[in-house]
């Protein structure tokens, strides 16, 4: 098996030379065949730490040269393979997780269809959130995973799954771990906002009260940082999304404005 694995690794490494010739932004015939073979290899060796990084690096290169490869990866079953890799290497190898997160992010950001497939994968939002918590101080892992989670939170199913997975507790850990890594810190706030745009999770969060306290604490923190106004704006906007659910709309009323009449006044001037 060791020799076979070594041969597989060397073969996938040789694929990179083909990618350099891609210029159109779309995978050509040769690249398509290599992507299909790489997905098959990943499906077979998804728990081999020698094989997985090489395959992911190749997919990352292809997605950079030809972003539309995300459609091909989806059709070849990538939506099922990526979660398997996350499960196999969570808490084992952060570098592989970071690479997998990066490839997932590139696939999801360029393809609503891929987002739809990912959100249908049972337990995936919860898995990705757990992975973020386990690597809270590692922005290379957490950053791309948060971008995938934000994409999944656009769907009611994804937002509900995250809300039920103790989102606020996980986000507290992430905000503490990502202090100073402000882009990833901001993605945590963006995730909360995306989830709170859905009525069910928002009402549940308002009832618990934790998310409001968390956002107020963030707002107080970043308000003291003049160079982080964008984060303050994001926290404030999320609070506004929450407040819209908590304010009851005024009843509809028919406006009855008093009629105004024009009166002609006759002024009598008395001259002495």
């Amino acid at each position: 098996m060791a020799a076979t694995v070594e041969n597989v690794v060397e073969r996938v490494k040789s694929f990179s030379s083909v990618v350099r010739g891609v210029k159109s932004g779309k995978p050509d015939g040769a690249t398509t065949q290599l992507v299909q073979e790489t997905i098959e290899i990943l499906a077979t060796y998804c728990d081999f730490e020698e094989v997985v990084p090489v395959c992911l690096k190749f997919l990352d290169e292809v997605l950079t040269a030809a972003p539309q490869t995300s459609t091909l990866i989806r059709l070849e079953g990538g939506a099922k393979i990526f979660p398997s890799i996350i499960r196999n290497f969570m808490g084992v190898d952060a570098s592989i997780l970071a690479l997998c997160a990066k490839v997932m992010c590139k696939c999801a950001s360029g393809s609503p269809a891929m987002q739809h497939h990912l959100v249908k994968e049972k337990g995936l939002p919860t898995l990705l959130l757990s992975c973020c918590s386990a690597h809270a101080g590692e922005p290379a892992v957490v950053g791309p995973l948060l971008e995938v989670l934000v994409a999944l939170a656009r769907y009611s199913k994804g937002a509900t799954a995250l809300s039920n997975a103790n989102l606020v507790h996980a986000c507290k850990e992430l905000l503490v771990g990502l202090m100073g890594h402000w882009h990833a810190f901001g993605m945590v706030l963006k995730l909360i906002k995306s989830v709170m745009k859905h009525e069910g999770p928002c009402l549940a969060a308002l009832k618990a009260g934790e998310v409001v306290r968390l956002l107020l604490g963030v707002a107080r923190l970043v308000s003291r940082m003049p160079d982080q106004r964008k984060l303050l704006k994001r926290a404030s906007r999320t609070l506004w999304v929450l407040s819209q659910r908590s304010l009851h709309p005024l009843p509809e009323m028919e406006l009855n404005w008093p009629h105004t009449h024009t009166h002609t006044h006759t002024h009598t001037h008395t001259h002495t």
Side-chain angles (χ1 to χ4, degrees), residues 58-75:
F58 171 67
L59 292 179
D60 183 43
E61 288 176 8
V62 177
L63 285 163
T64 300
Q68 293 182 35
T69 307
S70 59
T71 300
L72 176 61
I73 292 172
R74 171 176 59 82
L75 293 173

Side-chain angles (χ1 to χ4, degrees), residues 254-263:
E254 188 176 329
L255 295 176
N256 294 311
W257 295 103
H259 295 291
T260 56
H261 300 283
T262 304
H263 297 281

Side-chain angles (χ1 to χ4, degrees), residues 33-45 55 58-59 72-78 81-82:
Q33 288 182 347
L34 294 181
V35 169
Q36 290 171 328
E37 185 175 343
T38 302
I39 295 293
E40 288 177 10
I41 291 170
L42 270 177
T44 305
Y45 296 91
C55 292
F58 171 67
L59 292 179
L72 176 61
I73 292 172
R74 171 176 59 82
L75 293 173
E76 293 298 319
I81 292 173
F82 296 141

